[in-house]
Amino acid sequence: MNTDFRKSTVYQIYPKSFRDTNGDGLGDLRGVIEKLDYIKELGADYIWLTPFFVSPQNDNGYDVEDYYRIDPRYGAMEDVEELIAEADKRGMGLMFDMVFNHVSTRHEWFRRAMEGDPYYKEFFFFRKGKENGDPPTNWESKFGGNAWEYVEKFDEYYLHLFDVTQADLNWANENVRKEVQKIVRFWMDKGVKGFRFDVINLISKAGFADDETGDGRKFYTDGPNIHKYLKELNAATFGHDAQIITVGEMSSTSLENCYQYAGRDAGELTMVFSFHHLKVDFMGNEKWVLVPTDFQKLKNILFRWQTGMEEHNAWNAVFGCNHDQPRVVSRFGDDEKYWKESAKMLATIVHCLRGTPYVYQGEELGMTNADFTDISQFKDVESLNHYQILQDKGLSASDALRIVQIHSRDNGRTPMQWDDSQYAGFTDEGGDAPWIGVNGNHSRVNVKAQLADPDSIFHYYQKLIALRKELEVISCGDIHPLAENHPSVFAYRRTYEGHELIVAANFYGRTCQWKEAPDLTGFGRVIGNYAEESRPADGVWILQPYETAVWYR
Ligand code: GLC
Ligand code: CA
C-alpha cells in the first residue's frame, strides 16, 4: 500500500451510521467490510473508524468501557480481523480511534475506583469540593454544566471534561500511561496501520483552580507535560513502526504547540487536527449562537496554519467535515441551487492544501445537514444538553431548536445514503428503522446515482484524490496564499521543484471578479467544476457562482 502520508487520503467512517447488515437499525463492522470496494474505488489509502469498542454509547462509543473488546452491536473480534485483512488485500490500512483522555464510568478502572480501591482512584481526578460546598473548580464540561460530579460516599468529586459518564484519566499517574501503551500495542499487533487520538491535547492538567476569565480550558489545553507524554507514547509504541500514521485531535490548540506535535523530527505524531477554521460561525468559542460565516477569518486561519506548519516542517490534517461537524456543503456552500458546484468547490480548496485530506462518509456525495424539524429526532448528548441550556437562558423552544438544527453534531451522523430505497440502503427494507433519521433527500443524493453520473461529486472527489498521488506539487509543494483580502475569492499557489499549481475558488453564489489574478500562460487546467474553462483576461478573472479551477504548469 501507499504509506506516504503526504500522498494519502483518509476516509472516515462513523460505523453506527455507515451500513447496517443485520437489520437492527445500527451500522456494523460487516457493513464496513461490505463497502470496502466502494472506498477503494474512491481512492482512499486509510480508513479511520470511530470507536466500536464495548461502550454504553452515551457518547456513541467515545465512552469506552473496554478497549480490548468489540461492542456486540458492531460485531465481534473476528469481524475486526477480517476487516483489517480485507482492507489490506485492497491496499488500504485501518486507523483506529483511541480515546485516552477519559473512560466510561462503566470501565473496570472506574468501577474499582468507586469501590474505594486506592490504586484505581489514582487513575482519575477525585478532589474535595470547596468549603462553601461548591465543586472543586468552576470549569465547564464541553457538553454543558459543571465539569465535576459529586460522589457522596467519598464526599469528593471526579472530573469529567465531557459527559458525566466520561471520567478523565490522570495521565500524571505512570500506571495510566502504561495501560494506554498496552492498548496501543495490542491493536498494532492486530495489524492496525494508524491511530487517531481523541482530544489528546487535554490529557495534561496544569492544576486545579477557578478560571476567572473562561470555562477552564486554559488549565488543561496543551498542558505542561503534553509533549513529554506524547513522546513517551511514541517511543513505547508506534514510533517503532515507520509505516504507522498518527493524528491527534487537538482541541482549542495553538500553532506553536502543533509545530511540535506534528513536527517532522519531534517524535510525537504524524499530523494534527485543529478546529479554529471551523469556528468561523461561532461567537468566539461560543458555538450555540447563530452568526454568519466570517469568510475573511476562515482564510486568515487556514493560511496562517498552512504557512506556519510549513515553516516548521510540521504536517496538518486538512478537512471540512467529520462526525462532530455540520455538513460542509450546508455550512459554507449552498445545499440547494448550487449544491453540486459548491460541494466541488469546497472539496477543491481542501484537497489541494498542504496536508493530508480527510473525507468523512457521505461528504463525497455532498450529503447535507439533517432535515430534522423536531427535537425528538436529535440523539446527540451535546445537542440535547444545550437545547435545555439555551431555554434555561431564556430562549424560546423554537429559537433553541433553530440553533441546534444549525450546529448539531447529528447533522453529520444521519445514515449514509447508498440508494433511494426506504432507508437509503443503510438498513435494508424490512429491517428496523435506523437509530437516527435518514435524510429525505436520499432519493436524489445517493451513491447509486452518483456512481452512474460521470459529473457527480463522487467522481470529482475521486479525481482530486488521484491528483494528489500524481502531482508532487500537491503532495509535497510549498503553499503561498493569494487574494488574501478579496471578499469572495479563495486562492493559493503551490510550488515544487519548478512545478506550479494555482487553485482558485469563488466562495459565493454570485459571479465575481478577481483583479490582479495570476498569469496562467503555459498552465493547463487539471480539474474544475464548470465545463467551460475560464481564465484571466488582462489580469481579471471572472469567476461564476462557486466556480473553482486548478491550473498546473
Ligand atoms: C472528540 C470526539 C467526539 C467526542 C469527544 C469526547 O471530540 O470527536 O465525538 O464526543 O471527543 O470523547
Ligand atoms: Ca447492525
Side-chain angles (χ1 to χ4, degrees):
M1 69 176 279
N2 160 36
T3 53
D4 184 343
F5 60 84
R6 298 167 306 175
K7 296 186 172 155
S8 296
T9 297
V10 182
Y11 189 79
Q12 183 196 350
I13 293 182
Y14 198 68
K16 197 169 188 170
S17 302
F18 191 61
R19 163 75 181 141
D20 168 24
T21 55
N22 62 351
D24 64 357
L26 299 168
D28 43 57
L29 292 167
R30 299 228 60 88
V32 180
I33 299 175
E34 190 185 292
K35 299 298 184 184
L36 283 173
D37 287 332
Y38 168 75
I39 302 163
K40 181 69 192 169
E41 184 166 351
L42 182 65
D45 303 277
Y46 291 90
I47 302 172
W48 153 28
L49 294 178
T50 62
F52 44 79
F53 310 108
V54 172
S55 155
Q57 300 286 324
N58 292 334
D59 188 19
N60 285 342
Y62 283 94
D63 44 333
V64 179
E65 182 177 332
D66 186 339
Y67 294 90
Y68 298 102
R69 281 171 41 234
I70 311 307
D71 194 309
R73 283 168 281 201
Y74 290 111
M77 188 60 88
E78 294 77 65
D79 299 317
V80 174
E81 287 163 357
E82 187 177 328
L83 174 58
I84 293 171
E86 288 297 319
D88 188 58
K89 267 190 212 162
R90 291 166 178 79
M92 297 186 289
L94 264 303
M95 204 168 171
F96 282 7
D97 202 327
M98 297 283 122
V99 189
F100 291 141
N101 176 67
H102 44 265
V103 294
S104 163
T105 49
R106 294 219 324 228
H107 193 286
E108 196 195 339
W109 303 335
F110 193 79
R111 281 193 277 141
R112 304 269 285 262
M114 289 297 273
E115 285 160 12
D117 183 332
Y119 180 83
Y120 286 105
K121 271 191 92 181
E122 279 304 308
F123 272 45
F124 301 93
F125 297 104
F126 282 92
R127 293 288 183 280
K128 289 285 177 208
K130 292 183 188 151
E131 305 259 285
N132 65 4
D134 282 352
T137 71
N138 66 349
W139 302 358
E140 282 168 34
S141 151
K142 308 247 178 201
F143 291 164
N146 184 273
W148 296 92
E149 180 72 4
Y150 184 62
V151 180
E152 203 176 341
K153 73 176 189 193
F154 301 143
D155 186 29
E156 283 172 341
Y157 295 74
Y158 70 84
L159 178 68
H160 63 91
L161 295 182
F162 293 87
D163 186 50
V164 13
T165 64
Q166 292 166 300
D168 279 56
L169 283 170
N170 175 13
W171 275 67
N173 180 349
E174 200 190 345
N175 296 323
V176 167
R177 307 203 301 272
K178 290 265 181 293
E179 291 287 352
V180 162
Q181 293 166 12
K182 243 172 74 185
I183 296 164
V184 172
R185 279 196 296 264
F186 175 84
W187 289 109
M188 282 175 62
D189 290 344
K190 291 264 180 213
V192 168
K193 291 279 180 278
F195 295 100
R196 178 244 188 209
F197 294 106
D198 189 63
V199 290
I200 197 68
N201 67 325
L202 308 186
I203 58 176
S204 169
K205 275 72 173 171
F208 298 94
D210 276 353
D211 188 345
E212 305 300 344
T213 55
D215 56 13
R217 73 182 73 197
K218 68 170 175 239
F219 286 92
Y220 54 75
T221 303
D222 302 320
N225 290 315
I226 180 66
H227 297 288
K228 175 183 151 208
Y229 295 156
L230 284 175
K231 284 188 208 310
E232 182 188 75
L233 180 63
N234 175 307
T237 61
F238 54 83
H240 297 292
D241 186 341
Q243 298 227 317
I244 289 192
I245 66 167
T246 53
V247 56
E249 185 199 25
M250 303 303 175
S251 171
S252 303
T253 189
S254 73
L255 185 53
E256 293 68 27
N257 275 289
C258 286
Y259 302 156
Q260 214 180 321
Y261 293 140
R264 192 176 296 159
D265 304 311
E268 297 188 17
L269 301 171
T270 317
M271 61 187 116
V272 284
F273 288 121
S274 63
F275 296 90
H276 301 285
H277 69 294
L278 295 179
K279 295 185 178 180
V280 295
D281 53 359
F282 289 15
M283 213 185 297
N285 276 322
E286 182 49 44
K287 162 168 167 176
W288 302 97
V289 288
L290 293 183
V291 291
T293 296
D294 186 337
F295 176 58
Q296 188 60 51
K297 198 166 161 191
L298 176 71
K299 286 203 286 188
N300 295 349
I301 292 170
L302 277 176
F303 286 146
R304 180 163 171 265
W305 279 76
Q306 283 281 303
T307 53
M309 293 291 272
E310 177 189 305
E311 275 163 31
H312 291 83
N313 276 323
W315 199 250
N316 282 303
V318 291
F319 67 103
C321 286
N322 70 25
H323 64 292
D324 295 327
Q325 301 292 331
R327 292 287 182 176
V328 73
V329 66
S330 301
R331 189 176 194 175
F332 297 150
D334 173 350
D335 61 11
E336 291 175 0
K337 184 166 178 208
Y338 291 111
W339 166 68
K340 201 193 257 194
E341 292 82 357
S342 61
K344 291 178 178 178
M345 180 277 289
L346 292 163
T348 310
I349 291 179
V350 169
H351 282 255
C352 295
L353 289 173
R354 178 181 176 280
T356 299
Y358 284 64
V359 178
Y360 176 60
Q361 66 182 49
E363 178 189 339
E364 75 282 12
L365 310 173
M367 272 180 64
T368 65
N369 277 353
D371 53 2
F372 299 159
T373 52
D374 192 279
I375 193 66
S376 65
Q377 293 170 286
F378 289 88
K379 307 292 173 206
D380 180 27
V381 48
E382 185 200 38
S383 302
L384 298 174
N385 287 351
H386 282 280
Y387 177 68
Q388 196 48 54
I389 292 169
L390 288 168
Q391 291 179 76
D392 295 345
K393 284 186 186 158
L395 266 74
S396 69
S398 63
D399 286 348
L401 178 64
R402 187 72 204 123
I403 294 176
V404 169
Q405 284 171 324
I406 297 287
H407 288 297
S408 176
R409 306 195 295 180
D410 284 338
N411 284 312
R413 300 177 180 183
T414 62
M416 176 74 175
Q417 294 169 199
W418 297 102
D419 60 35
D420 61 359
S421 64
Q422 185 187 14
Y423 297 136
F426 165 71
T427 292
D428 295 333
E429 282 180 43
D432 292 350
W435 70 278
I436 189 169
V438 174
N439 195 314
N441 66 18
H442 73 275
S443 53
R444 137 183 99 71
V445 181
N446 64 62
V447 169
K448 195 169 158 209
Q450 296 208 15
L451 288 178
D453 171 11
D455 187 43
S456 65
I457 299 170
F458 175 90
H459 285 117
Y460 193 90
Y461 269 84
Q462 188 185 47
K463 190 160 178 199
L464 284 171
I465 293 168
L467 274 174
R468 169 166 290 269
K469 295 195 169 57
E470 280 161 33
L471 301 180
E472 293 204 307
V473 68
I474 298 182
S475 52
C476 309
D478 290 344
I479 180 143
H480 316 272
L482 295 173
E484 279 173 273
N485 298 309
H486 194 290
S488 343
V489 171
F490 199 117
Y492 51 89
R493 180 195 305 271
R494 305 286 314 274
T495 54
Y496 185 70
E497 296 182 347
H499 298 268
E500 244 185 294
L501 195 81
I502 301 287
V503 179
N506 177 357
F507 204 77
Y508 289 101
R510 291 167 254 111
T511 302
C512 78
Q513 283 194 10
W514 180 12
K515 297 178 183 137
E516 291 158 26
D519 180 9
L520 293 180
T521 312
F523 283 76
R525 191 175 88 152
V526 289
I527 192 168
N529 63 348
Y530 274 72
E532 195 112 335
E533 284 186 7
S534 69
R535 33 160 95 228
D538 300 326
V540 181
W541 198 345
I542 302 193
L543 293 163
Q544 299 304 308
Y546 296 109
E547 179 172 357
T548 187
V550 181
W551 291 74
Y552 171 69
R553 160 169 86 176

